[in-house]
Amino acid sequence: MFKVSKTKFKDLLIFEGEIHKDKRGYLRELIVEKNVKKRFKFQIISKSKKNVLRGFHFQYKHQQSKLITVIKGKVLDCVIDLRKNSRTFGKIFSIILSENNCKSLYVPRGFAHAYFSIQKMNVIYYKLSNYYDPKFEDGICYSDKDVNAKWPKTKLIVSKKDKLLGSFQNFKIKHKGL
């Protein structure tokens, strides 16, 4: 049975499929299309080692809705609501996604996204409503005090680009919201 759960964030949904295991391996349901009214144009796979942190990323033009599923491993997935007219503007939501818990996160347009890789090897599958356009990419620094994301207390592996992302206050001045 496929389950859809709402969060306190408007249109941010958790999808939980089933896993059917036997001695050969497993068959896992990712999504039932009737549960997501959006169409996805673009798909990517990301592979990350343990302790890798990616994000918080967003596109301010050609915004993307995302369906995020962990195919292998386990991640702490986090989003920030950047929708200026949302009652949860500036608030963070986090969830554990793993190959074993069969959960996927549907993130509507207007959110910044990040994740922390918990296991030795993590493979994340994204379905996106719009194409990646680096000209309109921006982000918020993972360590910004105003965001106050609760990352594990370990040596994080973060790209130079992500370390240089701006603050949430800077985002509000520059973009005023999405």
Side-chain angles (χ1 to χ4, degrees):
M1 183 81 163
F2 200 83
K3 181 179 169 188
V4 180
S5 303
K6 293 182 178 182
T7 67
K8 66 180 181 179
F9 293 72
K10 186 178 187 310
D11 298 325
L12 182 68
L13 303 172
I14 301 167
F15 293 92
E16 192 169 350
E18 286 189 69
I19 192 162
H20 308 279
K21 293 182 182 182
D22 65 21
K23 63 184 178 187
R24 300 168 296 165
Y26 67 81
L27 175 74
R28 178 178 166 193
E29 298 174 4
L30 294 181
I31 187 164
V32 178
E33 290 292 329
K34 70 179 180 181
N35 292 317
V36 178
K37 310 282 188 270
K38 307 288 184 198
R39 293 285 171 227
F40 299 104
K41 302 179 182 184
F42 186 55
Q43 299 176 51
I44 59 172
I45 292 178
S46 173
K47 182 178 172 183
S48 296
K49 299 176 190 176
K50 185 175 184 168
N51 296 333
V52 166
L53 190 144
R54 298 181 186 263
F56 287 96
H57 304 138
F58 63 90
Q59 286 185 184
Y60 54 92
K61 284 190 181 174
H62 312 295
Q63 293 177 29
Q64 301 167 310
S65 296
K66 300 176 180 180
L67 182 68
I68 303 154
T69 303
V70 173
I71 302 300
K72 179 170 181 55
K74 183 177 183 180
V75 304
L76 172 60
D77 201 273
C78 297
V79 295
I80 306 168
D81 190 347
L82 301 179
R83 301 170 296 179
K84 62 184 163 194
N85 295 322
S86 171
R87 64 179 177 77
T88 51
F89 176 72
K91 302 259 190 276
I92 192 167
F93 175 85
S94 61
I95 185 172
I96 296 289
L97 301 176
S98 75
E99 69 181 295
N100 293 324
N101 72 9
C102 296
K103 292 181 180 178
S104 296
L105 184 65
Y106 174 74
V107 182
R109 294 166 25 159
F111 281 77
H113 176 250
Y115 70 84
F116 170 78
S117 299
I118 296 170
Q119 293 188 339
K120 184 177 179 179
M121 188 52 58
N122 305 275
V123 179
I124 297 86
Y125 172 58
Y126 294 81
K127 290 180 86 164
L128 302 124
S129 64
N130 221 331
Y131 298 103
Y132 171 65
D133 194 336
K135 293 187 305 261
F136 303 112
E137 182 183 36
D138 204 347
I140 295 170
C141 190
Y142 70 96
S143 61
D144 183 62
K145 300 294 185 229
D146 289 329
V147 172
N148 197 24
K150 305 287 189 233
W151 302 116
K153 305 276 189 245
T154 188
K155 176 123 175 75
L156 303 174
I157 301 168
V158 182
S159 72
K160 183 177 180 180
K161 175 182 152 187
D162 285 358
K163 287 178 181 176
L164 297 174
L165 291 173
S167 68
F168 181 67
Q169 292 302 323
N170 189 38
F171 162 79
K172 290 193 296 186
I173 293 166
K174 185 175 178 182
H175 299 288
K176 304 198 183 5
L178 298 181

